[in-house]
Amino acid sequence: MNQIDLTKGNPLTRLILFSLPLVGGSLFQQLYNFIDTLIVGRLIGIDAVAAVGVYYPLSFLVLGFIQGSCIGFSIPLSQSVGAKDQQATKTFFTNAIWICLAMAILLTPIMIIGASGALKLLNTPSNVFKAAVTFTVISFLGIPANILYNYSAAALRAFGDAIHPFHFLVISLVINVTLDLIFIINFHLGIAGAAWATVISEFIGGILNLTLFLFGKHRLIIDRQSWRPAPKAIRKMTAIGIPMGFEYSISAIGAIIMQDAINRLGSNIMAAQSAADKIRQLFTLPMESVGAAMATYQAQNFGAKNAKRIKQGISNGVMIQIIYSVAAFVIINLTKTSLVTAVLGTGSMQTVTKANEYLTIISFFFPVHGLLMIFRNTLQGWGHSLYAIVSGFGELLGRSIGSLFALGAAGYTAICYSNPLAWAISLVYCVIMTWKLFKQDKDGLAI
């Protein structure tokens, strides 16, 4: 079943069916990230792993803004699909394309020009600075491809189709790994080859997604009138999408502050945290995929004005996340040393030990992260993306506090607690706001 109507059927079953391709995509994405880190670490060296790690918070800042915005642009699309309003569906789809085009034109040159200065502000060590600049600049050249992929995938999910984005993601990641090996081994491009492989594969994935709207199952017959900018639709999408993008970016500022503290602790700590966080993402991105499914589920049922299903979705989502978090905690603590040494090798046992410490601490707090994904995405599915910005400030506060302690006596241990603290602060806020909105609405669905 390629397309799932989230306004009908058993909520738990529908959520699981819709989430599975998203979870599969996340696992495959992180498996790729893991393999990519392994390729970079083994074929180029540990300094290259550190250079990629420096890029991550900048990626979180910029590409996170893109991802959040594109998901936000798809929320009104999901609501129109749930309401069975075909004209509104066409209008939101085409106007989001105009917004994405403007975003690509604006962001790409700014981020390329500012890449080197941003890495200097992060106190990037001199031995990895050149490689970090190379990887970052090429990655930012791929911003249009990233926007194309993220919006096209979000638009397909708005129609209840999570299967095709998964299939196309698998294809693009296989291409990515293949290009990694070709560019690094055959063409000797080093870290630049890894960056170009990602850009090219994202572009291919986005094109494959778009084919379904142009020629496939979700083909939209759009006349010339539908391509004209609709100010009301643009205002609605930007009012939801841009705040969601800023929420990701505000959270990323905390990650940048944390990366600065990590960089001050030396390249061994940088490599340990970078490798461990790649492994952490392998386990936490499925939770984020369930959250993404929750946003679409809530948006469609909001459009259908079904209060009962909205409440059932929250309770079922919470159950899914808790069960998964417990399983992930057990698995990660049984396999962490093997996973870390697979990335870093056994050359520096101090680095392996530090990576293990990070994984032990952060995996204990996985339920906090899982619940945050449910409540934050519930608010976003209802269209309350401004609340997401406030929750982003909660994550910024948590990571900033951890980074401050990391520069003192607490050192690296404080880094290990920074993300859990950020998740906890944001979760408390999102739960309170969800409860307040339910209390005020009393099933009138003016949420």
Side-chain angles (χ1 to χ4, degrees), residues 110-125:
I110 292 175
M111 296 317 303
I112 291 172
I113 293 170
S116 178
L119 291 170
K120 288 179 182 177
L121 288 175
L122 285 172
N123 293 303
T124 304

Side-chain angles (χ1 to χ4, degrees), residues 14 42 99 184 237 263 342 358 401:
R14 293 292 185 178
R42 293 299 180 88
I99 299 171
I184 294 172
M237 284 186 291
N263 292 352
Y358 182 91
I401 292 172

